[in-house]
């Protein structure tokens, strides 16, 4: 964790800005290659930009662990990197005790898990599994208008090669992602995930007419800002009533003059909850009279029960659900037996520079992951 601590760190906020395919992300990808090489693991980048480091030739389906290295804007040090770093550490621990896996063991770094730049989360695993059509991914744009296909081409990747990748999928017999827990639900060092809440992102466009802030009478205005402000308050009310979560964390005002009525307020709603019907109800009620597009939707994921119970039994760990999205959820939905190990988060803070996990709990996470990999790779 220390070797990557400075990569993409914003000196002012102390948070990480590791957008997919940014210079920070490219540096982290190089770090991953180096970590694989230092351990003589075979490095492969798949057609969708995900990185794989294999211990043993992946000629039969293997056991895969890992996570992601990109971050939300001003994210913490742990969300993603903890799972990748722990994977390399677990391999070191297994080797130190002379273990030789009976099946291939892979470490993956999924590309663009957070969707901070192009809006859609888990792009790498969605493309790999075919959950997201390649055509849609190629056309995703960042806030500066760069299309993902242009960004990939500029990095020497082939946008035409994006899409469901049977060969890579065939190498994943099962997937175990270690991740920092993102709430205060875990009171012991490690836990095992039961499920991921259904969740999605929607873009709401409130349109109006640009005009002068000093000369336009209130009665003459077509100002989209009050409608947006009402939607924020209404989302909060609905969320409380329905027992779900609703967040507006990103908003863009056009043209963005302090002395002009805006022509557009574009706002991004993130909504999640334990019950899909209630999340959908919130979005439907909130957006009745608004231009809205769904940018991503992930139905509830229930992790493979035998695998979950095997991990919980091996580790003597509690089982808990989460409201955070993960690549493990995308793989699970695509039929790959998947599980997650959570490392305690003492404050519950995440997607923030203040995200933290105790070093001793991180060590316990590595030990737990090594125990699990040893068991799963025995036969
Ligand atoms: C990913 O961290 C998400 O839950 O949005
Ligand atoms: Mn995250
Ligand atoms: Mn994450």
């Amino acid at each position: 964790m220390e070797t990557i601590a400075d990569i993409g760190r914003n000196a002012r906020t102390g948070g990480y800005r590791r957008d997919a395919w940014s210079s920070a992300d490219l540096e982290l990808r190089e770090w991953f290659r180096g970590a694989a090489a230092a351990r003589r693991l075979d490095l492969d980048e798949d057609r969708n930009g995900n990185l794989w480091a294999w211990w043993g030739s992946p000629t039969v389906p293997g056991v895969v662990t890992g996570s992601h290295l990109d971050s939300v804007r001003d994210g913490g040090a742990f969300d993603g990197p903890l799972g990748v770093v722990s994977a390399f550490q677990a391999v070191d621990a297994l080797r130190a005790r002379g273990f030789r896996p009976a099946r291939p063991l892979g470490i993956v770094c999924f590309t663009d898990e957070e969707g901070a730049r192009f809006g859609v989360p888990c792009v790498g695993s969605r493309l790999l599994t075919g959950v997201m059509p390649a055509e849609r991914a190629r056309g995703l744009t960042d806030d500066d208008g760069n299309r993902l296909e242009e960004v990939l081409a500029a990095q020497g990747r082939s946008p035409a090669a994006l899409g469901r990748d049977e060969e890579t999928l065939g190498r994943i017999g099962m997937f175990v992602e270690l991740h920092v827990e993102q709430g205060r639900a875990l009171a012991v060092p490690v836990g095992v995930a039961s499920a991921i809440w259904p969740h999605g992102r929607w873009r709401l466009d409130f349109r109006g007419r640009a005009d002068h802030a000093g000369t336009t009478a209130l009665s003459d205005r077509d100002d989209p800002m009050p409608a947006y402000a009402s939607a924020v308050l209404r989302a909060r009310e609905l969320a409380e009533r329905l027992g779900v979560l609703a967040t507006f964390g990103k908003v863009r005002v056009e043209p963005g003059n302090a002395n002009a009525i805006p022509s557009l307020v574009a706002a991004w709603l993130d909504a999640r909850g334990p019950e899909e019907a209630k999340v959908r109800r919130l979005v439907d009620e909130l957006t009745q009279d608004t231009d809205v597009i769904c940018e991503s939707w992930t139905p509830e994921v229930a992790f493979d029960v035998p695998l979950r119970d095997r991990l919980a039994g091996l580790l003597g760990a509690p089982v808990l659900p989460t409201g955070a999205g993960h690549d493990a959820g995308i793989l699970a939905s695509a039929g790959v037996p998947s599980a997650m190990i959570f490392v305690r988060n003492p404050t519950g803070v995440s997607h923030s520079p203040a995200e933290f996990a105790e070093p001793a709990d991180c060590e316990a996470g590595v030990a737990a992951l090594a125990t699990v990999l040893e068991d799963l790779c025995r036969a």
Side-chain angles (χ1 to χ4, degrees):
M1 295 293 278
E2 276 168 17
T3 60
I4 58 172
D6 291 335
I7 303 176
R9 187 173 203 165
N10 183 278
R12 184 176 56 81
T13 63
Y16 289 96
R17 300 187 179 179
R18 295 167 167 171
D19 276 16
W21 303 105
S22 64
S23 59
D25 190 37
L26 295 173
E27 213 180 314
L28 288 162
R29 297 169 70 86
E30 274 313 302
W31 169 84
F32 184 95
R33 288 173 187 272
R39 292 168 177 81
R40 298 177 311 284
L41 303 174
D42 296 326
L43 198 285
D44 181 39
E45 180 174 319
D46 71 22
R47 294 198 269 111
N48 297 301
N50 306 306
L51 294 167
W52 305 81
W54 285 102
W55 180 7
S57 177
T59 44
V60 292
V63 175
V64 177
T65 185
S67 190
H68 62 96
L69 292 173
D70 66 309
S71 75
V72 292
R73 292 174 179 175
D74 282 336
F78 299 88
D79 177 356
L82 185 65
V84 178
V85 169
S86 298
F88 284 117
Q89 296 279 299
V91 164
D92 293 347
L94 292 176
R95 283 179 169 167
R97 53 193 194 234
F99 179 73
R100 298 189 67 83
R103 48 197 300 198
L105 201 173
I107 299 177
V108 64
C109 167
F110 280 113
T111 293
D112 199 358
E113 193 272 348
E114 298 287 4
R117 180 171 180 185
F118 294 100
V120 178
C122 299
V123 170
S125 56
R126 281 184 208 271
L127 282 168
L128 167 68
T129 53
V131 169
M132 175 184 227
E135 197 46 48
R136 168 139 197 256
R138 282 190 278 268
L140 292 174
T141 52
D142 66 14
D143 290 338
D144 297 325
N146 301 301
R147 289 166 70 88
L148 178 56
E149 62 185 342
E150 296 161 355
V151 171
L152 289 174
Q155 294 303 331
R157 272 52 174 203
S158 169
L162 295 180
R164 185 174 162 96
D165 179 348
E166 295 294 349
E167 191 184 338
T168 302
L169 273 175
R171 294 173 171 178
I172 317 171
M174 56 184 87
F175 179 52
V176 179
E177 179 169 1
L178 179 146
H179 204 282
V180 67
E181 216 272 309
Q182 294 173 284
R184 278 189 300 272
L186 185 57
V188 293
V190 297
V192 173
S194 55
I196 297 179
W197 283 1
H199 59 284
R201 297 182 191 180
W202 291 261
R203 176 182 157 158
L204 281 61
D205 281 347
F206 302 88
R207 294 178 196 286
R209 194 184 63 245
D211 212 334
H212 198 290
T215 60
T216 317
L218 293 178
S219 56
D220 290 340
R221 293 177 183 215
D222 180 6
D223 183 351
M225 192 58 89
Y228 162 63
S230 303
V232 174
L233 298 175
R234 176 100 177 106
R236 179 74 189 228
E237 265 171 40
L238 286 166
E240 274 168 11
R241 176 154 67 73
L242 293 165
V244 301
L245 299 175
T247 307
F248 282 99
K250 175 175 171 177
V251 59
R252 200 175 76 217
V253 181
E254 289 183 11
N257 296 305
N259 57 354
I261 296 158
S263 58
L264 170 73
V265 179
W268 281 262
L269 169 73
D270 177 306
R272 319 180 184 211
E275 287 176 52
E276 172 168 339
K278 291 189 173 166
V279 176
R280 291 215 176 268
R281 189 135 144 236
L282 175 137
V283 177
D284 289 347
E285 286 194 27
L286 188 67
T287 60
Q288 264 166 13
D289 305 313
T290 310
D291 268 3
V292 60
I293 50 170
C294 179
E295 295 204 326
S296 67
W297 170 252
T298 311
E300 185 186 21
V301 174
F303 285 110
D304 186 84
V305 172
L307 186 59
R308 176 197 85 186
D309 289 348
R310 187 166 167 182
L311 266 60
L314 273 170
L315 305 174
V319 169
L320 64 159
T322 180
H326 301 285
D327 294 301
I330 304 294
L331 292 195
S333 303
V336 178
S338 301
M340 292 191 75
I341 296 172
F342 288 136
V343 170
R344 172 164 57 186
N345 181 332
T347 61
V349 174
S350 188
H351 284 186
S352 152
E355 182 184 73
F356 180 69
E358 293 287 355
D361 288 351
C362 297
E363 301 274 355
V366 172
L369 184 59
T371 299
V372 164
L373 296 175
E374 185 170 14
D375 184 67
L376 297 176
C377 290
R378 210 170 256 138

